[in-house]
Amino acid sequence: MHISMVSSSHVPISRYLTLCGHAFWTLLKAPMRAPYNTTSEVTRDMDKGTTYLSQTHYSKEFLRTYNFWNATPRLTPMQPNKRLNKGDCDKTPAPDFHRRYHGIVGSLGHLVRMTRPGLAWAYCELSKYVQSPLKNHMLAAEHVLCYFRGTWSETIRYSRDS
């Protein structure tokens, strides 16, 4: 997946960079690769005028943390024709179960905000039930992880020529 941001002015890109923070802006100014501990990797080719934004290290650690590194990839982020609903909610989920679900959804949120806008709908659906998830919600979250396993290394590409 490649996403190109095209504009007649620098305002949209500047706004995005402002939202991501001053440290991110500093990284984009330099023709270097960001250290992996920032959870975002920025690769810039000044000659070609391209900038790549990815989270491969964070993605790999996310999948390994929840034991989905060896999962079979899925074709879609959510199961087709299946909707989650509030009637499936448990008012007092087990603490370990709740912590795991909350962690998966929180990590997906970080990915959606930085480099994976294609997961936004799945993240929104899962985040509705973060306070009281049930097994159906966890199965949907695990389906997203299986989809993500197949696409974990995708990047966003910005180009001055696009």
Side-chain angles (χ1 to χ4, degrees), residues 28-32 43-51 160:
L28 279 181
K29 285 183 177 178
M32 58 174 266
T43 307
R44 189 160 190 195
D45 185 335
M46 301 296 273
D47 296 331
K48 293 181 181 177
T50 57
T51 301
R160 67 177 170 219

Side-chain angles (χ1 to χ4, degrees), residues 85-162:
N85 62 55
K86 199 169 192 162
D88 294 337
C89 290
D90 183 2
K91 298 302 178 202
T92 56
D96 289 342
F97 179 83
H98 187 257
R99 194 171 12 262
R100 179 176 170 83
Y101 185 81
H102 191 271
I104 290 170
V105 173
S107 296
L108 283 173
H110 180 69
L111 289 164
V112 166
R113 282 187 299 278
M114 294 299 294
T115 60
R116 302 305 303 268
L119 293 175
W121 185 79
Y123 167 70
C124 284
E125 286 297 304
L126 295 174
S127 65
K128 292 176 188 176
Y129 309 101
V130 96
Q131 292 301 320
S132 49
L134 270 182
K135 186 171 176 140
N136 289 344
H137 303 120
M138 183 62 82
L139 291 173
E142 290 174 348
H143 186 91
V144 174
L145 288 173
C146 288
Y147 168 79
F148 185 65
R149 175 58 184 105
T151 62
W152 70 275
S153 62
E154 291 183 355
T155 64
I156 293 180
R157 176 182 175 261
Y158 297 98
S159 174
R160 67 177 170 219
D161 297 332
S162 313

Side-chain angles (χ1 to χ4, degrees), residues 8-65:
S8 58
S9 73
H10 70 283
V11 174
I13 294 172
S14 296
R15 183 166 183 236
Y16 178 77
L17 295 175
T18 301
L19 292 174
C20 292
H22 179 69
F24 184 77
W25 176 253
T26 304
L27 289 172
L28 279 181
K29 285 183 177 178
M32 58 174 266
R33 185 175 183 131
Y36 64 81
N37 61 1
T38 62
T39 72
S40 296
E41 295 113 34
V42 179
T43 307
R44 189 160 190 195
D45 185 335
M46 301 296 273
D47 296 331
K48 293 181 181 177
T50 57
T51 301
Y52 293 92
L53 179 63
S54 68
Q55 290 179 293
T56 53
H57 179 76
Y58 180 82
S59 300
K60 190 184 295 187
E61 290 305 311
F62 169 51
L63 288 166
R64 286 187 174 152
T65 298

